[in-house]
């Protein structure tokens, strides 16, 4: 019997991840505007139609509001759900419709 390493890792990750929606891995720099209306740079590392995780130099607090600027869909109002060690988890106020999401994802993954 043989196993593919990637499927084993995926199964383990699925068991430990409590999200209802899977996320797509990306490496995309985006601009966001925080509660003070100041611009901030985010490095988005994963995304779904409902939210994202990003690295950010600014310290945000849980509950802070953002407007995240993304290709295709524009400015998305969102809430910081958690912040830890230069990473933030963000929940969009409204989910991105799937057609727009797949177009957004294609733009984020496009090799420049």
């Amino acid at each position: 019997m043989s196993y593919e390493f990637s499927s084993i890792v995926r199964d383990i990750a699925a068991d430990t991840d409590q999200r209802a929606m899977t996320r797509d891995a990306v490496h995309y720099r985006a601009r966001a505007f925080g509660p003070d209306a100041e611009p901030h740079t985010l490095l988005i590392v994963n995304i779904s139609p409902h939210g994202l995780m990003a690295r950010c130099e600014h310290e945000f607090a849980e509950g802070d509001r953002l407007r995240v600027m993304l290709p295709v869909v524009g400015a998305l109002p969102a809430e910081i759900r958690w912040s830890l060690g230069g990473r933030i988890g963000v929940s969009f106020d409204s989910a991105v419709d799937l057609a727009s999401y797949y177009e957004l994802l294609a733009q984020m993954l496009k090799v420049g």
Side-chain angles (χ1 to χ4, degrees):
M1 179 180 255
S2 67
Y3 294 97
E4 283 186 47
F5 179 73
S6 61
S7 66
I8 294 171
V9 170
R10 192 178 321 110
D11 291 345
I12 291 170
D15 288 342
T16 59
D17 194 342
Q18 300 300 310
R19 285 187 200 100
M21 175 71 74
T22 59
R23 299 252 173 133
D24 294 294
V26 296
H27 186 87
Y28 185 83
R29 290 202 185 281
R31 177 75 72 197
F33 295 89
D36 55 3
E38 290 294 318
H40 302 282
T41 300
L42 304 179
L43 176 59
I44 300 172
V45 296
N46 67 45
I47 191 165
S48 79
H50 299 278
L52 59 83
M53 186 187 82
R55 297 188 188 286
C56 182
E57 291 183 11
H58 184 79
E59 288 292 321
F60 288 105
E62 185 177 317
D64 280 351
R65 304 286 304 161
L66 291 178
R67 280 183 305 122
V68 182
M69 308 302 290
L70 294 173
V72 179
V73 296
L76 292 179
E79 180 180 344
I80 303 290
R81 302 299 292 213
W82 57 267
S83 178
L84 179 65
R87 295 177 299 147
I88 56 173
V90 175
S91 176
F92 302 138
D93 287 0
S94 298
V96 177
D97 68 274
L98 287 181
S100 297
Y101 177 73
Y102 289 127
E103 192 175 339
L104 161 70
L105 195 56
Q107 289 293 316
M108 294 176 95
L109 295 173
K110 186 185 286 188
V111 176

